Amino acid sequence: MSTPEATSEQDETLESLFEGYTPEEQTLLDKIQTFLYESVYSPFLIMWVDWRTRVGLMILLGFVLMGTVGPRVVERTYVNHGPYTQPWFQSMDHPLGTDRIGHDILSLTVHATPAMLEMVAGGAIFAVVVATLVGTVSGYTGGKIDFVLTTFTDIALNIPGLPLIIVLAAIFEPERAFLVGILLTINAWAGLARAIRSQVLTIRQEAYVEASFTLDMPLSYIVRRDILPNLMPYILMNLMEMARHVIFASVALYFLGILPFTTHNWGIMLNEAYQHQAHTRLDLFYWMAVPIIVIGLISVGLILVAQGMDRVFNPRVRARFDQSKETSTEVDNV
Amino acid sequence: MWGFLTTITSLEFKGGKAFKPEEEHYLCMHWTVKRIFQAVFTVYVVVTLSFALIRLMPGGPMDYLRATLLGPDQTGTVDRERLNRQIELYMNINPDQPLWEQYVQYMSSVFTGDFGQSIWFNRPVAEILLEALPWTVFVMGIALLLTFAINIALGAIMAYKEGSRFDISMTFLSIISTSIPFYVGAILFLLFFSFTWELFPPGSRVNARLDPWTFEWIMSVLHHATLPILSSVLIGLGSGALIMRGNSIQVLGKDYLRVGRLRGLPEGRLALRYVGRNAVLPMYTSLMIAIGNVFGGAVVLEEIFTYPGVGYYLFVAVEARDYMLLMGAFILITVAVVVCLVVADLTYGLIDPRAKGGGYDEHA
Amino acid sequence: MAVTESSYSTGSSEDVIIETHDVSVYFEMDRGTSKVLDDVSLDIYREEILGIVGESGSGKSMFASALLDAVVAPGKTSGDILYHDADGSTIDVLSLNQEELRAFRWEKVSMVFQGAMDSFNPTLRIKGHFIETLKAHDFDVDEGLERATDLLAQVYLDPDRVLSSYPHELSGGMKQRVLIALSLLLDPDVLVMDEPTAALDLLMQRSILRLLENLQQRYDLTVLFITHDLPLVAELSDRVAVLYAFQFVEVGPVSELLERSSHPYTRALLNAVPTLQTPLSDMEPIEGSSPDPINVPTGCSYHPRCPLADERCIGEEPPFYATEHDDHQTKCFHWEDAISEIPLAHHKSTTGSSQIVEGKQSEEPVLTLDNLCVHFENNNSFLGLFGESQTVFAVDEIDLDLYENDILAIVGESGCGKTTLGKASIALQRPTSGEVQYRGDDIWAVKDGRSESDRSYSAIRRALQIIHQDPGSSLNPNQKILRTLESPIKHWKSDMSQTDRRSQIYGLLEYVGLTPAEEYAQRYPHQLSGGEKQRVALTRALLMNPEVILADEAVSALDVSLRVEMMDMMISLQNMFDTSYIFISHDLANARYFAGSVGGRIAVMYLGEIVEIGPAEEVIQNPKHPYTKVLKWSTAELDSDASQEELPLRNIDIPDPVNPPSGCRFHTRCPEARTECRVNSPKLEATDDGDGIEAHQVACFLDKPRDHPYWSSDQLVSEDNPTLVE
């Protein structure tokens, strides 16, 4: 790397101009503190301020606990664990009732959570990473790479998702939870990739991107600092959307018996209830209701957090946050 | 990830979008051709994919069919040549030929409408599916139209009454409705409307004892289709209305609306020709997504309501391991979606004067 | 001296078409009422052109909207607005019901908005806009369309083509003129125009003003022209009212206001505007900023910025004083002193004699453009298959040298390729053919590794910097200023300690006037004003000690009073950093101010070609090319008795650069064009008048001796023009 062709003489004039300015040198500890404050503490507080995100975060946190701590606390159920088809809220032993062969429904629900979370994480992260990569590369580079990627994306976009998943599931019969997750988002990334591409196309026309380019900043800097932060709210919102998509699709396919039964999960619970005609009898309604409510709850949590994502990355909100920290007396002045 | 990006070195600014060409017709035509070409290519890729899945998967469809034809004892009483001829009859693939010939043969049969033979029904796949297709199109088409009409009306009213109690409660309901998977709605409909209150039939397309095209027959068709349609409408409701609401609010703040009002235009014209038209146009994108979703959703709904459309046969095929029927249904659904998308894409240019071909998503 | 309270009118009420008394516009907010128009009273005379001048946020748009009772909710209007109809009846505008108001607007008073770009329904043809307006007011459609055709032709548009177009197919200047035609469709008596030309090129602005004058006379209109640009409106108006902090501060005939304005604010406004005549040293920006509606200063609202302010101004609100002239009133205690205390710069005009400032340019050029061409292919076809691509000749065969400490101003209308030329010069745009050399090395050869030179591309890249036009997008919105400025230093001078780095940044920020620097560094871009953002952008460009900075319309988006300040700062930084500037502008006055002060040059560009280039003062005072003359005409001067000459153009709109005209590209609009110009294109050559300035070059046959075929060919008449219906 050669140094710029500025003469040392000019540097001297500059330095003489700025004498008398001695900002304090930051220690490593200061830097770590600043980092933690700016990247962890303040985003969290910004999200926490909004009631929707607060509720959403609490719901999601609840599910994470259910998936990690839950199986250790709740006993794994077995056949003849309780009476057959006992409705919910009848006994303390089986608060959510039992199924046809005496499984405790609460235990089934809790023990299904780890696999569900693994599947959701696998699918959502796969889709978002692929979409961001394809969209950014395609939008920023242009030319032949763009053409190939766009054609690929368009084809993936045009194939109807669920039928494709069903065909692939019928043939490959995947069992590992995160593989199921990836299968469920096998072409769901395409729409996001296309949206990201067109946003990148717009952002790279922005003057500040051109300014970074003019300063010969490396591409990694431009992408990391100038382009991605603008997309982050959008990407994270879509991460939540994808998570919802994975949950809905997986439950649908387990429910319909397309995916091979492995460990218990919410879709299989629904399937068993369905197989036993729970959808034709009101007195068996609780059997289906439990997984449905669980799915609805996690979905609401994801939607609420997605809505709050925008705020974390909005510089206006962040600036207001900084100011309210400095002058905590005047919160509503901006 | 960054390392990968850094390796891409072709970095030059394509600046200077200073000029705008006036002639657009050429571009338009090119774009149409390009769009149709792309659609055909997509179908081609899907058919090739189906060939690869059938032929190349070890332990996959071909082996499964061979095992089925050999029967349970697997002793090989059937001679190899006859076996292969049977495979060819079912799958349009002769395992004795070299791979590329199998490919050519398979592709040419599919593109001439021969999807092979269904093992489960022992009828040509094409015959089964063509008979089922109109029913799927009928149900899903109506569902799609209804969804859009309701979404547009709802979203526009919410925007006009922004901040009112109606707006807030509808926004809340929309979020709830997007939180519930559509098939849950279908199950609940079945439980209450069919089994508990017995208002609608729980399955099949029509009362088979009636003569076709009589009044009773038509009523029976509608009666049977009601629940599937209602459940499908649920898929797109909510999120679509919220999008329409956002669009309308944006248009309501535009200068041209203010100028139109100053010019004394009647409110009706402003609502329809100004707000309505300009807010609905961006909905086209979500219409495209909805087309895919609706056909995808059809697969699940038809199974739940045992409504023998294309999606239903897809399920039958999965359960019966009838791979030719499976692939046929998949290809047919893909073609239907692709055709819908092309039509939507091409008509968009007619509705929005600003679309210069393919511009609806990139330059919006 | 008579002191009249609240009403400034001395004319008899028969002449008055609109009377306003104590009109206020206010917004109810949580923290109280915010008045964005504060008890103003003003009479508008029949068939006058009244200019209303004020900075952005002074309440001038609110006044315009109030006249039609069209203030957008939740704003409310109070007071009296009386409209005196030609038949003698009087309409109380604020008490009209919905239906009456609907008829009143557009039939009696119509309005042209600031955002012409967005004033048309994008999904409706222009014709539809005309027809629906006629129908809504129960006018005969056929007759109305005839009138529309007539009106469109008078604003130099091709009626048939325009009527069948969609809004997005028209340029900004065309849309603005269509909007004017549409506003006159129902034959109103009053036309209110709210910053109608703000977003347009100067030449287009000026052309529209000229058309407006014709229309006003032809249709006996009363025109209310609202703008922030005092010189622009001075030429057009009969009277001018100056608005400051939601109240009128001075009203009077335009000649009075220009010569004997007696409010310190008006005089400051006059001095803040760069013009072609004013001596460069006499222009000065107004200090401070205009007040916020929630926080208007007590007493005279101008006192914090006023050099004449005393105790009385702080404590007491001044009434209106009538000056010697009947119709000229000022809201200032010190109106008599203002004239002597604040001299007007344009009174000291120097005309004719050009002062050439000696620059400090080097002998060797930093940048050399050699036969530079940039063509854009508009190729949307698939894989180039059905290829029918169109070529846009953005920049065509340009030769130029740029020296150290040089300033080159490139002037032209939007779409003439000046930005492309600028970007090609600093290697942000790869030329189609020709070379850009940096100190003798072909930059693109260095980049592609084809050059023998030991100079690295990276070093060249950093030596050529840019400041963009739009302050809104020039800084990354997600980063604090400090990070934006720190990153390049971190990357390129990694051995610099954090302390040194920051002290350099703070020092620079302080120098460009952003104090306290440490506080500014912690802000996000949205917490800065447009001018402040541009200063940060300037600071960023300077971080790498660049040799050339391209300033792409860098001051155009700023308020008039801030432009001079920004340009001064850039020039003083040139002295410190030995930087050259390429300054792109559509405004000849700004170009002159910037280039003229250090002996720089001005290049005039038209459709991708340089048609005239020379030392700034020389080009301004002694323009040779008809296009330069037109641009000079378009630069408004502080001159009340404006010459009533015809529009010096045969066509207002710039031709399509996809198919540039043959011969001299300007011949379709040039008032001097002859048949020769259609066939042959003139070369850029030194001027012939023997004034000894070799650097002054022009590409026009007019400059050729009498035996040139041009002089014997026929004058072109406007046959490809829409004919004026007289």
Side-chain angles (χ1 to χ4, degrees):
Chain A
M1 246 9 109
S2 74
T3 53
E5 294 202 8
T7 58
S8 58
E9 188 189 328
Q10 271 178 3
D11 278 340
E12 277 161 31
T13 26
L14 271 177
E15 269 150 35
S16 67
L17 190 94
F18 308 131
E19 267 168 25
Y21 250 102
T22 42
E24 283 169 44
E25 181 79 26
Q26 281 185 313
T27 64
L28 184 66
L29 194 66
D30 286 340
K31 283 182 185 169
I32 292 173
Q33 269 184 346
T34 321
F35 173 80
L36 282 180
Y37 179 82
E38 293 203 340
S39 315
V40 181
Y41 178 69
S42 60
F44 181 75
L45 275 191
I46 288 170
M47 287 181 84
W48 199 250
V49 165
D50 190 83
W51 72 266
R52 291 170 305 178
T53 5
R54 195 163 55 219
V55 172
L57 277 178
M58 274 154 59
I59 293 176
L60 294 191
L61 190 71
F63 274 100
V64 170
L65 286 178
M66 195 161 130
T68 49
V69 184
R72 284 155 223 263
V73 178
V74 180
E75 185 196 358
R76 186 179 284 276
T77 189
Y78 43 86
V79 180
N80 292 334
H81 186 189
Y84 300 154
T85 57
Q86 184 190 56
W88 51 5
F89 311 125
Q90 300 281 325
S91 79
M92 281 308 288
D93 290 340
H94 308 288
L96 296 182
T98 56
D99 69 6
R100 190 82 171 212
I101 45 174
H103 281 126
D104 175 54
I105 290 182
L106 175 67
S107 171
L108 284 179
T109 313
V110 170
H111 282 272
T113 315
M116 284 305 287
L117 291 184
E118 189 186 332
M119 184 161 62
V120 167
I125 291 171
F126 165 79
V128 167
V129 167
V130 170
T132 310
L133 215 64
V134 171
T136 317
V137 171
S138 161
Y140 200 87
T141 53
K144 285 199 186 74
I145 297 176
D146 180 34
F147 178 78
V148 172
L149 287 178
T150 318
T151 310
F152 183 55
T153 311
D154 280 348
I155 289 172
L157 198 63
N158 277 336
I159 301 175
L162 215 45
L164 176 68
I165 294 168
I166 291 172
V167 167
L168 293 178
I171 288 171
F172 290 99
E173 304 188 338
E175 296 190 349
R176 284 290 303 275
F178 80 88
L179 282 179
V180 175
I182 291 176
L183 176 74
L184 293 173
T185 51
I186 194 76
N187 72 341
W189 56 269
L192 181 58
R194 196 158 163 179
I196 288 180
R197 173 179 175 271
S198 68
Q199 291 204 19
V200 170
L201 281 179
T202 317
I203 295 170
R204 58 172 274 181
Q205 299 287 336
E206 294 280 343
Y208 61 85
V209 179
E210 195 172 53
S212 292
F213 177 78
T214 315
L215 286 163
D216 204 26
M217 298 302 283
L219 180 59
S220 63
Y221 174 89
I222 295 179
V223 172
R224 229 164 3 100
R225 288 258 153 242
D226 290 343
I227 294 183
L228 279 184
N230 284 293
L231 297 173
M232 269 335 260
Y234 190 72
I235 290 174
L236 285 178
M237 267 171 62
N238 275 281
L239 186 73
M240 304 293 150
E241 268 306 304
M242 284 303 170
R244 259 161 37 81
H245 167 84
V246 170
I247 294 171
F248 280 19
S250 75
V251 170
L253 295 189
Y254 279 114
F255 162 54
L256 295 170
I258 303 286
L259 284 167
F261 287 14
T262 46
T263 55
H264 249 86
N265 71 44
W266 305 330
I268 295 174
M269 289 171 71
L270 214 52
N271 176 278
E272 282 173 350
Y274 187 76
Q275 295 296 331
H276 293 99
Q277 305 296 314
H279 66 295
T280 63
R281 291 168 50 188
L282 260 184
D283 56 323
L284 288 181
F285 176 65
Y286 71 95
W287 193 355
M288 305 197 90
V290 172
I292 289 175
I293 290 171
V294 169
I295 294 162
L297 200 62
I298 196 169
S299 166
V300 167
L302 288 166
I303 291 179
L304 290 178
V305 172
Q307 286 188 342
M309 278 302 169
D310 191 38
R311 292 166 51 85
V312 180
F313 289 91
N314 187 336
R316 285 166 201 278
V317 178
R318 298 203 73 156
R320 205 178 314 163
F321 178 77
D322 286 355
Q323 277 183 2
S324 68
K325 286 287 122 181
E326 280 161 26
T327 55
S328 48
T329 44
E330 235 184 315
V331 185
D332 62 334
N333 63 337
V334 200
Chain B
M1 181 169 169
W2 307 134
F4 169 56
L5 286 178
T6 337
T7 53
I8 294 153
T9 47
S10 70
L11 232 196
E12 246 162 67
F13 265 85
K14 316 256 183 328
K17 279 164 66 184
F19 303 117
K20 226 166 146 191
E22 295 285 315
E23 293 289 324
E24 287 160 20
H25 300 289
Y26 291 115
L27 303 180
C28 248
M29 195 198 71
H30 292 167
W31 187 74
T32 310
V33 174
K34 177 187 165 180
R35 188 64 188 81
I36 292 170
F37 188 87
Q38 190 201 43
V40 173
F41 188 62
T42 306
V43 173
Y44 172 80
V45 167
V46 166
V47 176
T48 305
L49 180 74
S50 71
F51 171 78
L53 289 174
I54 291 172
R55 178 64 189 85
L56 301 179
M57 288 304 301
M62 175 102 81
D63 295 339
Y64 181 80
L65 178 67
R66 194 190 301 272
T68 316
L69 291 174
L70 281 173
D73 51 353
Q74 305 264 332
T75 49
T77 46
V78 192
D79 70 278
R80 183 187 161 79
E81 202 169 303
R82 211 178 125 226
L83 183 67
N84 281 350
R85 256 207 314 282
Q86 269 186 313
I87 290 179
E88 189 178 356
L89 172 71
Y90 280 107
M91 293 196 157
N92 296 326
I93 294 173
N94 184 345
D96 283 341
Q97 288 172 339
L99 196 61
W100 68 268
E101 264 181 50
Q102 296 177 25
Y103 177 68
V104 170
Q105 195 196 349
Y106 178 83
M107 294 304 277
S108 54
S109 347
V110 169
F111 279 101
T112 49
D114 178 3
F115 290 92
Q117 188 85 0
S118 161
I119 303 174
W120 183 254
F121 295 99
N122 209 13
R123 280 168 68 199
V125 170
E127 207 180 292
I128 301 172
L129 294 178
L130 279 182
E131 191 260 333
L133 184 66
W135 296 93
T136 301
V137 170
F138 160 70
V139 169
M140 293 307 145
I142 290 184
L144 202 62
L145 287 180
L146 268 181
T147 311
F148 261 73
I150 296 175
N151 273 340
I152 286 168
L154 208 60
I157 296 171
M158 280 157 80
Y160 260 98
K161 302 195 168 187
E162 193 195 347
S164 70
R165 197 174 299 158
F166 174 79
D167 177 33
I168 292 169
S169 47
M170 286 317 286
T171 307
F172 187 71
L173 272 182
S174 303
I175 293 178
I176 296 290
S177 97
T178 27
S179 301
I180 300 171
F182 62 93
Y183 47 84
V184 168
I187 296 169
L188 295 180
F189 279 170
L190 265 190
L191 173 59
F192 289 102
F193 290 108
S194 293
F195 294 107
T196 309
W197 301 324
E198 299 184 353
L199 293 174
F200 293 101
S204 86
R205 305 188 289 221
V206 64
N207 186 342
R209 281 168 304 190
L210 296 170
D211 291 327
W213 301 112
T214 58
F215 176 74
E216 285 79 16
W217 185 82
I218 292 173
M219 288 316 286
S220 165
V221 165
L222 291 176
H223 195 215
H224 281 81
T226 307
L227 284 187
I229 289 174
L230 272 184
S231 330
S232 179
V233 167
L234 270 185
I235 303 175
L237 223 55
S239 65
L242 286 182
I243 295 172
M244 179 66 190
R245 175 181 178 272
N247 292 345
S248 305
I249 287 176
Q250 214 169 18
V251 176
L252 283 172
K254 291 278 188 193
D255 275 350
Y256 55 80
L257 197 74
R258 196 176 166 211
V259 176
R261 203 160 269 151
L262 277 183
R263 279 190 282 137
L265 303 183
E267 276 302 317
R269 185 170 174 90
L270 288 174
L272 290 177
R273 198 65 179 73
Y274 278 63
V275 182
R277 181 107 180 230
N278 286 294
V280 167
L281 281 179
M283 296 283 288
Y284 231 77
T285 321
S286 63
L287 176 70
M288 315 275 278
I289 298 167
I291 291 173
N293 282 347
V294 159
F295 275 93
V299 178
V300 178
L301 290 179
E302 288 179 354
E303 162 70 8
I304 292 177
F305 290 106
T306 29
Y307 193 92
V310 179
Y312 173 80
Y313 285 113
L314 190 77
F315 266 93
V316 174
V318 170
E319 276 168 12
R321 299 198 159 228
D322 188 344
Y323 289 104
M324 286 320 287
L325 186 59
L326 179 69
M327 291 305 170
F330 172 52
I331 292 170
L332 197 65
I333 292 175
T334 305
V335 170
V337 170
V338 166
V339 167
C340 284
L341 288 177
V342 169
V343 170
D345 248 359
L346 297 186
T347 48
Y348 185 73
L350 301 178
I351 306 171
D352 189 347
R354 285 162 300 182
K356 274 192 280 185
Y360 66 90
D361 59 345
E362 322 254 283
H363 316 291
Chain C
M1 199 62 51
V3 177
T4 51
E5 291 281 353
S6 76
S7 173
Y8 331 136
S9 136
T10 50
S12 65
S13 63
E14 287 131 67
D15 304 327
V16 175
I17 187 159
I18 297 181
E19 264 180 78
T20 63
H21 293 293
D22 301 328
V23 174
S24 295
V25 174
Y26 52 95
F27 290 84
E28 302 286 356
M29 306 207 300
D30 299 342
R31 283 163 287 158
T33 308
S34 154
K35 273 198 173 183
V36 289
L37 196 65
D38 190 4
D39 283 333
V40 300
S41 307
L42 182 72
D43 290 348
I44 299 160
Y45 303 148
R46 201 176 295 280
E47 288 170 38
E48 75 166 339
I49 301 184
L50 172 65
I52 293 183
V53 180
E55 286 171 274
S56 47
S58 61
K60 54 191 195 302
S61 295
M62 289 302 161
F63 184 72
S65 299
L67 291 179
L68 286 88
D69 193 14
V71 173
V72 179
K76 295 191 181 107
T77 316
S78 68
D80 285 312
I81 298 172
L82 299 176
Y83 174 82
H84 299 288
D85 210 349
D87 60 13
S89 62
T90 297
I91 298 173
D92 180 358
V93 177
L94 293 183
S95 66
L96 294 177
N97 65 28
Q98 277 300 314
E99 195 46 39
E100 290 164 339
L101 200 58
R102 210 172 67 83
F104 173 75
R105 293 172 182 164
W106 231 259
E107 284 177 46
K108 303 291 182 196
V109 181
S110 66
M111 185 166 178
V112 174
F113 275 118
Q114 188 165 11
M117 307 301 152
D118 203 22
S119 285
F120 293 99
N121 182 349
T123 55
L124 190 63
R125 286 180 203 275
I126 298 297
K127 193 170 187 173
H129 289 86
F130 281 89
I131 293 174
E132 65 181 9
T133 311
L134 291 166
K135 280 187 180 159
H137 290 265
D138 295 323
F139 277 55
D140 183 87
V141 173
D142 291 335
E143 243 170 69
L145 279 182
E146 243 168 70
R147 185 178 160 87
T149 311
D150 190 17
L151 282 164
L152 287 171
Q154 286 187 59
V155 291
Y156 281 69
L157 290 167
D158 177 352
D160 293 333
R161 221 198 101 202
V162 166
L163 282 174
S164 61
S165 304
Y166 281 105
H168 74 274
E169 293 166 336
L170 304 176
S171 74
M174 288 170 144
K175 274 190 233 176
Q176 191 65 69
R177 275 137 64 208
V178 174
L179 199 57
I180 291 174
L182 182 59
S183 68
L184 297 178
L185 181 65
L186 305 182
D187 198 15
D189 292 319
V190 182
L191 179 60
V192 180
M193 308 188 83
D194 183 5
E195 293 263 20
T197 57
L200 302 173
D201 270 357
L202 269 184
L203 181 52
M204 184 58 78
Q205 290 187 12
R206 186 70 171 228
S207 308
I208 288 179
L209 286 194
R210 176 52 43 83
L211 298 177
L212 201 60
E213 239 167 4
N214 295 342
L215 291 170
Q216 190 261 340
Q217 280 161 11
R218 197 177 144 101
Y219 295 105
D220 301 328
L221 284 170
T222 308
V223 177
L224 219 73
F225 195 94
I226 292 163
T227 178
H228 68 277
D229 194 345
L230 183 51
L232 183 79
V233 78
E235 185 206 336
L236 176 81
S237 309
D238 302 315
R239 283 199 309 153
V240 171
V242 180
L243 201 59
Y244 181 79
F246 324 110
Q247 292 185 318
F248 289 109
V249 295
E250 186 165 13
V251 184
V254 69
S255 57
E256 274 285 305
L257 234 68
L258 292 183
E259 301 305 318
R260 283 179 296 281
S261 54
S262 46
H263 196 284
Y265 177 64
T266 316
R267 298 184 80 80
L269 266 187
L270 288 169
N271 282 344
V273 182
T275 67
L276 294 184
Q277 258 95 49
T278 316
L280 296 175
S281 51
D282 285 346
M283 294 177 195
E284 49 190 67
I286 311 181
E287 300 292 332
S289 59
S290 59
D292 195 69
I294 322 165
N295 205 3
V296 180
T298 56
C300 171
S301 53
Y302 186 60
H303 80 254
R305 297 167 83 183
C306 181
L308 304 179
D310 57 18
E311 284 304 311
R312 193 173 165 210
C313 303
I314 299 172
E316 203 183 321
E317 189 178 332
F320 267 92
Y321 294 94
T323 67
E324 289 95 338
H325 192 280
D326 286 348
D327 220 8
H328 179 191
Q329 296 168 333
T330 307
K331 193 177 176 176
C332 176
F333 293 120
H334 306 289
W335 65 273
E336 280 161 304
D337 305 328
I339 297 179
S340 53
E341 294 287 326
I342 309 169
L344 287 181
H346 71 276
H347 280 174
K348 293 186 274 178
S349 310
T350 50
T351 32
S353 70
S354 50
Q355 340 144 290
I356 307 261
V357 184
E358 279 297 318
K360 302 187 293 181
Q361 286 90 337
S362 62
E363 293 292 311
E364 287 298 307
V366 182
L367 283 179
T368 306
L369 312 188
D370 184 11
N371 201 16
L372 187 81
C373 299
V374 182
H375 299 168
F376 294 116
E377 299 285 324
N378 266 312
N379 188 352
N380 285 21
S381 60
F382 179 58
L383 288 173
L385 276 180
F386 316 92
E388 187 95 21
S389 68
Q390 300 164 310
T391 308
V392 177
F393 299 89
V395 170
D396 226 11
E397 296 179 12
I398 302 250
D399 295 296
L400 258 184
D401 285 324
L402 192 73
Y403 303 92
E404 283 172 30
N405 273 313
D406 201 0
I407 288 186
L408 173 70
I410 305 175
V411 184
E413 287 164 278
S414 48
C416 74
K418 54 189 192 299
T419 297
T420 311
L421 175 60
K423 287 196 174 172
S425 316
I426 61 162
L428 279 179
Q429 170 71 50
R430 192 185 274 269
T432 317
S433 65
E435 278 183 10
V436 185
Q437 293 165 6
Y438 172 80
R439 298 193 182 279
D441 291 329
D442 180 351
I443 299 178
W444 294 100
V446 172
K447 172 157 192 186
D448 299 342
R450 287 183 278 114
S451 169
E452 306 280 293
S453 167
D454 49 0
R455 199 171 265 130
S456 78
Y457 169 73
S458 179
I460 299 176
R461 175 66 280 140
R462 276 171 286 141
L464 310 173
Q465 290 297 316
I466 184 169
I467 309 172
H468 289 91
Q469 170 172 18
D470 174 17
S473 90
S474 61
L475 301 174
N476 185 341
N478 294 301
Q479 288 182 0
K480 290 180 178 171
I481 304 304
L482 180 63
R483 176 162 239 165
T484 294
L485 295 178
E486 223 176 6
S487 304
I489 309 184
K490 258 189 195 165
H491 188 258
W492 290 114
K493 297 177 186 166
S494 45
D495 53 335
M496 210 176 203
S497 75
Q498 191 190 41
T499 316
D500 291 349
R501 197 163 67 214
R502 296 214 168 154
S503 70
Q504 182 178 347
I505 289 168
Y506 294 151
L508 267 174
L509 283 177
E510 201 118 300
Y511 190 84
V512 298
L514 298 177
T515 40
E518 302 201 26
E519 195 211 305
Y520 270 96
Q522 288 302 324
R523 294 201 191 170
Y524 285 97
H526 74 267
Q527 295 169 298
L528 303 181
S529 70
E532 287 170 339
K533 279 181 210 165
Q534 288 302 67
R535 287 166 206 218
V536 175
L538 178 62
T539 310
R540 177 179 54 196
L542 289 168
L543 288 175
M544 294 289 125
N545 293 319
E547 305 238 11
V548 179
I549 294 179
L550 169 68
D552 183 3
E553 300 267 18
V555 299
S556 304
L558 306 181
D559 257 14
V560 176
S561 56
L562 290 174
R563 287 182 195 166
V564 172
E565 205 180 327
M566 179 82 187
M567 289 193 280
D568 281 344
M569 182 168 325
M570 289 166 69
I571 291 166
S572 80
L573 284 165
Q574 169 166 53
N575 294 330
M576 210 156 80
F577 285 83
D578 284 336
T579 306
S580 298
Y581 288 105
I582 300 174
F583 182 84
I584 293 174
S585 179
H586 66 272
D587 184 341
L588 209 51
N590 283 340
R592 173 210 179 212
Y593 183 84
F594 195 66
S597 39
V598 290
R601 286 166 297 163
I602 291 180
V604 179
M605 233 180 137
Y606 186 75
L607 279 183
E609 295 177 334
I610 290 180
V611 295
E612 182 162 7
I613 182 168
E617 284 298 318
E618 173 69 15
V619 171
I620 298 294
Q621 305 298 351
N622 193 12
K624 295 289 181 196
H625 198 281
Y627 184 61
T628 315
K629 290 176 190 164
V630 170
L631 286 180
K632 189 181 170 187
W633 167 83
S634 76
T635 309
E637 283 151 35
L638 287 169
D639 185 5
S640 56
D641 41 84
S643 41
Q644 292 294 315
E645 88 255 26
E646 268 304 298
L647 191 67
L649 276 174
R650 284 165 43 242
N651 206 329
I652 291 185
D653 295 295
I654 195 165
D656 185 358
V658 173
N659 281 312
S662 61
C664 173
R665 290 184 178 175
F666 189 53
H667 84 254
T668 52
R669 300 165 79 195
C670 181
E672 308 280 355
R674 301 189 178 209
T675 44
E676 175 71 10
C677 305
R678 215 159 38 186
V679 187
N680 290 314
S681 62
K683 298 267 171 300
L684 190 64
E685 284 162 355
T687 52
D688 200 31
D689 59 357
D691 54 11
I693 302 172
E694 284 170 39
H696 192 179
Q697 296 176 317
V698 66
C700 182
F701 296 134
L702 264 182
D703 199 49
K704 296 281 173 265
R706 282 276 160 184
D707 54 356
H708 190 274
Y710 165 80
W711 295 104
S712 53
S713 62
D714 291 330
Q715 190 90 25
L716 281 180
V717 280
S718 323
E719 90 274 3
D720 51 357
N721 246 10
T723 42
L724 288 181
V725 188
E726 280 301 339

